[in-house]
Amino acid sequence: MTFETWLQSRLTAHGFACGPIDGVVGPITRSAIRAFETARNLTADGIADEAVVSALRQSASKVDPETAEAVKDRLVSEAEIQTIDLADLKTNSWPRQSGVPAYYGAVGTRQTRVEIPFDMALAWSKTTRIRTMTLHERVAASASRVLQTVAATYSAEERQALGLDLFGGSLNVRRMRGGSAWSMHSWGIAIDFDPERNQLKWGAPKARLSHADALPFWKAFEAEGWLSLGRARNYDWMHVQAARL
């Protein structure tokens, strides 16, 4: 990993997604550096100096005690998933989280870009548009089909109201929030939407994507075998992954 890709990965891990982690330090990455600097009370000059690098090296998985308690038990039997109609999981059979390394390979590898068929922006910089997201090659076609369905199901105004146009990250080699295991983002098999209104420990109805008008969105992913942590465990409603619990 080059310094540039490390920089983009760490910015993304800390909540300042750079779009594709491609090692190109362009306007989006520099804007992410400035936003990170502002959040950490550093000089917002967009330069990855020693102070910025030191701050980026700090854990991005650390959470407050209340959040840690809310997400401490991430493993659950299928019988406990009350809100998901398992008959809808027709197209793919993704591995359980425990089988992800064997199925997808090493973290951060075999990545490709997926075109986004509707207008989307970085969640932390809503004026910065993105056109692609980086995902594992094994899930790319599936994700593309889901995004096409979302584009056909919702109008631009409806996507904006739900926050489906706000990208919170995809590929991101980091540990789980409040844990030591690799995040599903580390393989590029998870996508986050509108993290500001769907914060990690928020459940229904506080989380925006827990509302009834988001159901077709979740059904589109579930028809491809993807899993919503919000619908399965009632937290982290921003997150959907191509792996079972």
Side-chain angles (χ1 to χ4, degrees):
M1 178 181 291
T2 67
F3 172 76
E4 290 78 13
T5 54
W6 177 89
L7 176 66
Q8 292 174 322
S9 179
R10 294 306 297 161
L11 286 165
T12 301
H14 281 277
F16 301 91
C18 298
I21 297 175
D22 54 11
V24 178
V25 181
I28 294 178
T29 302
R30 286 193 289 272
S31 293
I33 295 171
R34 284 193 290 270
F36 178 78
E37 289 170 326
T38 298
R40 297 299 187 276
N41 296 314
L42 301 172
T43 302
D45 55 11
I47 299 172
D49 57 18
E50 184 177 347
V52 170
V53 170
S54 177
L56 286 172
R57 283 179 174 148
Q58 296 176 15
S59 173
S61 63
K62 186 177 181 180
V63 296
D64 59 86
E66 182 182 355
T67 302
E69 178 66 23
V71 302
K72 67 178 182 179
D73 183 12
R74 299 187 182 210
L75 299 179
V76 58
S77 69
E78 291 188 12
E80 293 180 82
I81 302 177
Q82 300 296 326
T83 57
I84 296 176
D85 183 357
L86 296 178
D88 284 346
L89 307 185
K90 301 172 182 176
T91 305
N92 302 296
S93 181
W94 306 118
R96 292 187 182 277
Q97 287 186 172
S98 59
V100 160
Y103 185 79
Y104 291 111
V107 297
T109 63
R110 300 176 62 184
Q111 301 297 308
T112 189
R113 292 191 186 185
V114 174
E115 297 288 334
I116 302 170
F118 51 84
D119 211 19
M120 205 168 191
L122 295 177
W124 57 268
S125 178
K126 298 178 178 62
T127 60
T128 303
R129 317 312 297 181
I130 64 167
R131 298 182 180 274
T132 63
M133 63 178 70
T134 304
L135 293 168
H136 195 283
E137 62 186 18
R138 280 198 161 185
V139 308
S142 173
S144 181
R145 288 191 294 269
V146 175
L147 294 173
Q148 292 288 349
T149 298
V150 171
T153 303
Y154 294 100
S155 67
E157 292 75 16
E158 289 168 336
R159 291 193 297 270
Q160 184 177 36
L162 275 165
L164 305 183
D165 62 339
L166 295 176
F167 178 70
S170 52
L171 174 65
N172 183 4
V173 181
R174 63 167 173 81
R175 305 292 179 176
M176 286 184 179
R177 306 289 186 192
S180 59
W182 287 113
S183 163
M184 295 297 102
H185 288 283
S186 300
W187 286 272
I189 60 169
I191 310 170
D192 287 346
F193 296 85
D194 192 6
E196 183 178 352
R197 294 190 296 171
N198 299 280
Q199 295 185 29
L200 181 61
K201 64 185 175 183
W202 288 2
K206 188 174 184 179
R208 179 62 182 90
L209 286 174
S210 69
H211 297 183
D213 55 352
L215 185 58
F217 169 74
W218 294 123
K219 287 291 187 181
F221 271 108
E222 289 164 11
E224 290 277 341
W226 294 61
L227 182 134
S228 157
L229 286 180
R231 279 168 54 77
R233 295 296 284 161
N234 197 29
Y235 67 81
D236 204 1
W237 280 89
M238 75 181 84
H239 178 96
V240 64
Q241 64 185 46
R244 294 174 291 148
L245 294 174

